[in-house]
Amino acid sequence: MLRGFFGRRSRSVWVRLTYLCIVTIIFLFATSQFKGTSTHARFVPEPIQPVHSIDRPADPRIHPNLEPPNLKQEEIDERLNLDVPNPTRNAKLTTKKITTERKTTKPAQNIIINGEKYPKLTPDGKLIPQRRIVHLDLKGAPYKSQYFTELFAFFNRIQATGILLEWEDMFPFKGRLAGAVNKNAYSMETVETILKEAQKHRLQIIPLVQTMGHLEWILKLEQFSHLREDARFPQVICFSDDDAWDLLKEMIAEVADVHKKYGMPFFHIGADEAFQIGICNASVTRIQKEYSKERLMLWHIARTANFVKETYSGTTILAWHDMLISAMESDIEDYKLTELIQPVLWNYAEDLDVYLPRSTWMMLRNFASVWGSSAWKGADGPARYSTNANHYVKNHESWIKQYTMAYQDFNVFEGLIMTGWSRYDHFAVLAETIPVALPTLAISMETILEGRPLLNNHPVTAELLQCSPPLDLGFTASGCRFPGSRIYELVNDMYQKQMQLRTYRQDDYELNGWLSRVADEYSVSSHWYIDKIEQMIEMHAAPLERIAEDLRFEMEKIFFKDMIDEFLFTYLGEDLEWLNKKRATIKTISTSKKFPKRPFVESDVSRSAVSTKCR
């Protein structure tokens, strides 16, 4: 057609113009079909309510006290065109709900905690926890009853407001649980004396009873082994089993009955680190009703909280947070856990921006009240027995940042539980004993009361302890005055002496050249070098033996004998055994007048061949 258009045949001007218009129209229409798709995007109307009124992480640019429009739920759903799940639908098929209405303005107003208006802030806006609860873990190195009085007076001086008592097997349980208690368990009279002393020192008392995991003290025994969630691991109880549930209720009731006499505003049900769920027969059966392991766990936490609240009115239930964050928010709402418990977010790392990110807090944002939990001992490695204040002080410095940021997202940040673990679990070795860590607790408390890092300058602690305890691992200050201060000095002195011994064993060329394993086994070496080595062995052995003797004397004032034996066996026994073995070798070689010809190893034909394989 174009060829004809531009050909030589004569056509009228109007015909040619007509052809030109047609071509132009076709061209414009064709090019319009290749434009960007943005011009065809569906129009989305502007939301009829502010975005921050939907239950999502708050935008820091928007004031948290702005209220959403007063609209009915049906109108909101219709205008936003939300697909809201039917609450009567089978839970297995329920999708995650979007909450379109905030329950309460956050943070809550006109709240009084311990006689002070909430929130309590430093001049530069840092939150100061108004409940400062010190955790006492009695499943390792429990103390004699008279030590509690000194301890509670110390807590008053550092401005602690309460204690979290984890009795475990030191509580004098009766009935079926009587056979599981510690041989050194307190009598009921002693338990009441301890609680009276805490009350006398105006300390709020919170009992902690594990109700899901960390029940090794029961499940390790043959008579309770059938109640394990997993037959191989005595950690988690088969809580879906009726017999196990009855046992848990008995345990809760025995502890709560005595605590209620002295005030029990809070009760901690544990519920952390349940590594095995949905394995025992009863749990497999129950999952058919609850649909998932996570919902099974939430069902148990909910009924445990309900049992405590219904049996002991006016008591608020606490639970560790770590199992909750594995569940969907809609499932947590289904079991009404936001109405039943207050989660306690715990982490003992030095940098909580990494280990407790804001996303964790946001997973629990539907709870009105939350707690935090730091550590002052028992969280720097299962075999840490000496003082390492630096780790714990950094943990508390990081917690200041955490709860100052997070408290605005909740109605109330209830307080900080400062945990002092004695063991990582029932089977683990002893961690720091309480006297070794009291300076760390004092420094940590001063840090959170100031609301800022103190850069190794702790004047309140220095005045309280009559010394300036260093923050570095294994170092100590002399002349300190606090309950068990002599144990603090001896244990850290022991650590330093052991580090010197380990360096000597690894690096000394005379020791490794002339008093090696060959000398121990075959009693051959040079008298010249043995005489020199003997002086070094005694230089290391004598101080450690003196420390062992002094530690036993001081520890007997606070701890039971079996705990002292365990501590010395675990942390000093191996070094003393090695030193005594070297002494015996030195004595044998020093009295020898002759030695066999080489090869030494093969000269004793009665000795079995040396194995080169691990067994």
Side-chain angles (χ1 to χ4, degrees):
M1 179 181 68
L2 293 178
R3 183 178 178 184
F5 179 80
F6 291 105
R8 294 183 180 181
R9 286 184 299 173
S10 173
R11 295 180 183 269
S12 70
V13 174
W14 294 110
V15 172
R16 291 185 180 183
L17 287 175
T18 301
Y19 283 155
L20 181 60
C21 290
I22 293 173
V23 170
T24 302
I25 292 170
I26 293 172
F27 176 78
L28 293 174
F29 176 80
T31 54
S32 69
Q33 303 306 305
F34 295 98
K35 288 186 178 181
T37 57
S38 59
T39 59
H40 300 280
R42 182 172 59 88
F43 172 72
V44 179
E46 185 178 356
I48 48 77
Q49 65 173 9
V51 173
H52 73 276
S53 67
I54 300 177
D55 194 4
R56 296 173 182 164
D59 187 333
R61 297 166 297 181
I62 301 175
H63 195 283
N65 291 336
L66 290 177
E67 295 291 342
N70 186 19
L71 297 175
K72 295 182 179 180
Q73 183 65 47
E74 294 80 2
E75 185 178 357
I76 294 174
D77 295 342
E78 181 180 355
R79 294 193 186 185
L80 289 179
N81 194 27
L82 293 176
D83 183 17
V84 181
N86 183 348
T88 62
R89 189 179 301 171
N90 189 320
K92 188 175 182 180
L93 303 177
T94 300
T95 57
K96 190 172 181 180
K97 296 182 288 186
I98 299 177
T99 304
T100 55
E101 183 178 345
R102 294 186 69 150
K103 297 178 181 178
T104 309
T105 302
K106 303 177 182 180
Q109 305 297 315
N110 302 320
I111 298 294
I112 302 297
I113 298 178
N114 290 335
E116 298 178 306
K117 186 176 179 181
Y118 174 85
K120 183 178 180 181
L121 304 175
T122 65
D124 60 346
K126 300 294 191 299
L127 181 71
I128 299 175
Q130 287 160 265
R131 290 190 182 93
R132 299 175 292 277
I133 309 297
V134 178
H135 171 233
L136 299 178
D137 177 19
L138 300 177
K139 69 172 172 283
Y143 347 114
K144 295 179 179 179
S145 59
Q146 60 268 24
Y147 186 65
F148 282 93
T149 301
E150 298 180 65
L151 208 53
F152 295 158
F154 181 81
F155 292 167
N156 284 162
R157 295 170 68 194
I158 64 173
Q159 299 186 55
T161 66
I163 55 173
L164 176 69
L165 271 174
E166 186 166 0
W167 299 99
E168 205 192 65
D169 60 356
M170 289 299 293
F171 190 87
F173 289 102
K174 301 175 183 178
R176 288 191 293 171
L177 289 167
V181 299
N182 194 304
K183 294 177 182 179
N184 296 317
Y186 303 119
S187 66
M188 186 56 71
E189 181 183 0
T190 300
V191 167
E192 296 218 33
T193 298
I194 293 169
L195 297 179
K196 287 176 183 176
E197 281 297 317
Q199 189 180 58
K200 177 181 175 182
H201 286 84
R202 305 176 306 282
L203 294 169
Q204 195 171 62
I205 309 165
I206 305 175
L208 190 158
V209 176
Q210 288 286 359
T211 56
M212 191 157 61
H214 289 298
L215 287 171
E216 296 93 339
W217 71 278
I218 299 172
L219 300 175
K220 67 181 180 181
L221 302 174
E222 184 178 0
Q223 63 263 42
F224 297 111
S225 60
H226 67 287
L227 297 179
R228 298 173 184 174
E229 181 71 30
D230 187 317
R232 185 163 177 258
F233 304 112
Q235 294 172 305
V236 180
I237 197 166
C238 179
F239 51 76
S240 304
D241 182 88
D242 290 340
D243 191 25
W245 174 233
D246 288 340
L247 190 69
L248 291 174
K249 289 190 291 184
E250 290 174 26
M251 184 164 52
I252 292 170
E254 288 197 45
V255 173
D257 284 346
V258 65
H259 272 265
K260 191 67 177 177
K261 299 177 186 179
Y262 303 94
M264 193 174 70
F266 299 97
F267 190 99
H268 200 313
I269 62 172
D272 63 316
E273 296 183 324
F275 301 127
Q276 304 94 34
I277 292 180
I279 299 173
C280 67
N281 291 336
S283 291
V284 171
T285 301
R286 187 71 201 187
I287 284 181
Q288 304 306 310
K289 297 181 180 180
E290 307 304 330
Y291 304 112
S292 71
K293 293 180 180 180
E294 290 76 19
R295 289 179 63 88
L296 178 68
M297 174 263 298
L298 296 177
W299 164 76
H300 174 63
I301 293 176
R303 72 167 176 171
T304 304
N306 267 316
F307 171 74
V308 179
K309 291 177 78 70
E310 291 170 2
T311 310
Y312 306 95
S313 60
T315 299
T316 299
I317 312 305
L318 310 184
W320 301 118
H321 86 286
D322 54 296
M323 299 303 294
L324 297 173
I325 60 174
S326 65
M328 294 178 61
E329 291 179 41
S330 58
D331 290 341
I332 290 175
E333 294 286 349
D334 284 346
Y335 292 100
K336 303 187 185 309
L337 282 176
T338 55
E339 303 170 18
L340 292 172
I341 67 170
Q342 294 179 355
V344 183
L345 286 85
W346 61 271
N347 201 286
Y348 315 134
E350 296 180 7
D351 185 357
L352 296 182
D353 288 344
V354 175
Y355 294 99
L356 191 62
R358 184 167 175 78
S359 58
T360 302
W361 294 92
M362 289 298 96
M363 290 177 187
L364 302 172
R365 65 189 181 274
N366 288 336
F367 288 88
S369 297
V370 294
W371 295 67
S373 182
S374 58
W376 56 280
K377 81 180 190 75
D380 187 32
R384 168 71 63 222
Y385 66 88
S386 57
T387 304
N388 186 19
N390 194 47
H391 169 74
Y392 299 106
V393 171
K394 287 182 178 178
N395 175 244
H396 285 91
E397 290 172 351
S398 195
W399 262 108
I400 293 169
K401 179 180 178 183
Q402 283 284 316
Y403 52 62
T404 297
M405 169 197 69
Y407 88 93
Q408 300 180 64
D409 296 315
F410 299 89
N411 291 353
V412 183
F413 181 83
E414 295 284 350
L416 185 69
I417 295 175
M418 306 170 75
T419 59
W421 301 103
S422 295
R423 304 181 192 272
Y424 269 44
D425 69 21
H426 183 80
F427 290 114
V429 296
L430 289 166
E432 305 102 310
T433 59
I434 193 165
V436 168
L438 286 182
T440 302
L441 175 61
I443 294 171
S444 299
M445 189 70 77
E446 183 178 357
T447 299
I448 66 171
L449 288 170
E450 286 291 326
R452 60 185 176 87
L454 297 177
L455 306 177
N456 206 20
N457 178 28
H458 308 98
V460 175
T461 299
E463 182 178 354
L464 173 67
L465 304 183
Q466 297 298 295
C467 68
S468 296
L471 301 183
D472 296 328
L473 173 62
F475 286 90
T476 184
S478 60
C480 296
R481 299 181 63 183
F482 59 87
S485 57
R486 182 62 181 144
I487 296 174
Y488 161 76
E489 294 174 0
L490 287 169
V491 167
N492 285 294
D493 190 23
M494 182 180 89
Y495 174 81
Q496 294 298 331
K497 295 291 190 296
Q498 287 180 303
M499 293 301 102
Q500 294 167 12
L501 176 60
R502 288 170 193 176
T503 300
Y504 172 67
R505 289 180 62 175
Q506 180 177 341
D507 298 341
D508 189 82
Y509 80 97
E510 290 176 343
L511 172 70
N512 291 305
W514 285 273
L515 198 61
S516 66
R517 186 182 176 198
V518 173
D520 292 336
E521 295 293 324
Y522 298 99
S523 301
V524 292
S525 192
S526 166
H527 286 173
W528 172 263
Y529 285 104
I530 288 297
D531 289 347
K532 296 173 66 176
I533 295 170
E534 183 177 18
Q535 299 176 35
M536 298 298 296
I537 293 295
E538 291 304 319
M539 186 185 76
H540 287 284
L544 288 175
E545 289 175 331
R546 186 193 70 251
I547 287 172
E549 183 178 345
D550 291 348
L551 260 179
R552 184 174 293 278
F553 175 78
E554 294 294 334
M555 283 184 162
E556 284 178 350
K557 300 175 184 177
I558 298 174
F559 302 108
F560 298 96
K561 182 180 181 301
D562 62 282
M563 172 269 157
I564 302 169
D565 292 340
E566 180 186 353
F567 180 87
L568 294 176
F569 174 81
T570 304
Y571 294 116
L572 193 52
E574 186 176 349
D575 286 338
L576 292 179
E577 287 174 7
W578 182 86
L579 289 164
N580 285 327
K581 185 175 184 179
K582 294 302 179 184
R583 280 170 164 169
T585 301
I586 289 170
K587 183 177 180 180
T588 301
I589 293 174
S590 295
T591 57
S592 297
K593 302 295 184 181
K594 59 182 179 179
F595 302 101
K597 64 180 181 179
R598 283 192 178 276
F600 298 140
V601 174
E602 296 181 3
S603 63
D604 189 349
V605 294
S606 65
R607 191 184 302 273
S608 59
V610 177
S611 174
T612 58
K613 295 182 179 180
C614 295
R615 295 179 181 177

